[in-house]
Amino acid sequence: MSSPTTDAPRRSETKHRAILEAAARCVGRDGYAATSIEAVAAEAGVGKQTIYRWWPSKPALFVEVYSALVNRTLLSPDGAMAAAPPGRPVSDLLRRLFGLYRSTPAGSILAGLIGAAAEDTQTRAAVRDGLVLGRRSILLDRIRDAAPAGADRSRMEHVNDLIVSMIWQRLIMAPEDLTNSFADELAQLVDTVGHAG
């Protein structure tokens, strides 16, 4: 029989994962705005205080749910989503990202967080720290790898921000247009800005 010290972390990890999965199901079914901590707790079969023990707020919980659904492994060249042709790291990443938006509630979660951030400082802080700053290198590293020879690499941060803003705008206004062709179009900005005077 396992000792209590080895069982407790395993039970906590199982419960933690169950809450993330329950939160994703709730958003997939009801949308971000209509999903409450109470609903997630009921779906996961835990008390809401269990959720608040790990996440101080709904935005903090859903930033982690988003990060679990859109994890670095699935966005890597070895991930499971359909990839772009070889040698196109930005297209490859964005195609994988858009595929996850189509196949999971990740897009709905991000759109909900963006919308709520406009009016709520707690949500704005969670999005800034967990997504804007916490995950910035995922795309920025690919952009820098794809930049044309001689490009001003400091400008690639501006390209990163431009691409992210265009994705977020389309995610809110026309999520059905987050397609492979749009991924390729965004990737071309790296060359365009890299070669600009």
Side-chain angles (χ1 to χ4, degrees):
M1 177 181 289
S2 299
S3 70
T5 56
T6 57
D7 279 349
R10 188 177 300 120
R11 283 197 301 271
S12 294
E13 178 56 35
T14 300
K15 192 175 290 186
H16 185 273
R17 187 168 55 251
I19 291 168
L20 295 179
E21 291 171 355
R25 286 195 301 273
C26 286
V27 169
R29 183 178 62 237
D30 304 322
Y32 178 83
T35 297
S36 64
I37 291 292
E38 290 79 6
V40 173
E43 182 79 16
V46 301
K48 73 176 182 179
Q49 288 310 313
T50 299
I51 296 178
Y52 283 120
R53 188 163 62 242
W54 286 321
W55 298 279
S57 64
K58 174 182 170 179
L61 167 62
F62 279 98
V63 164
E64 185 168 344
V65 175
Y66 177 87
S67 296
L69 292 171
V70 184
N71 66 64
R72 291 174 186 264
T73 300
L74 291 176
L75 293 175
S76 73
D78 297 326
M81 307 305 295
R88 298 173 61 188
V90 177
S91 288
D92 179 80
L93 173 68
L94 297 179
R95 285 176 175 223
R96 292 171 192 277
L97 176 65
F98 298 165
L100 289 169
Y101 287 169
R102 289 189 295 271
S103 63
T104 74
S108 295
I109 291 169
L110 181 55
L113 286 166
I114 294 167
E119 299 182 353
D120 178 61
T121 56
Q122 192 174 49
T123 305
R124 191 157 51 247
V127 170
R128 182 192 64 234
D129 297 342
L131 300 181
V132 176
L133 300 179
R135 294 170 60 89
R136 193 164 195 249
S137 65
I138 295 174
L139 175 59
L140 184 56
D141 288 349
R142 302 284 182 91
I143 289 172
R144 286 177 170 157
D145 289 344
D152 179 353
R153 294 179 71 80
S154 66
R155 296 181 67 181
M156 295 302 103
E157 294 191 12
H158 298 297
V159 178
N160 181 86
D161 294 344
L162 177 61
I163 290 174
V164 169
S165 67
M166 292 175 73
I167 292 169
W168 286 19
Q169 189 263 357
R170 192 159 292 199
L171 183 64
I172 293 169
M173 302 302 295
E176 68 279 3
D177 292 338
L178 292 170
T179 61
N180 285 348
S181 61
F182 184 55
D184 297 342
E185 179 184 332
L186 291 176
Q188 290 174 8
L189 291 172
V190 179
D191 284 334
T192 302
V193 176
H195 285 302

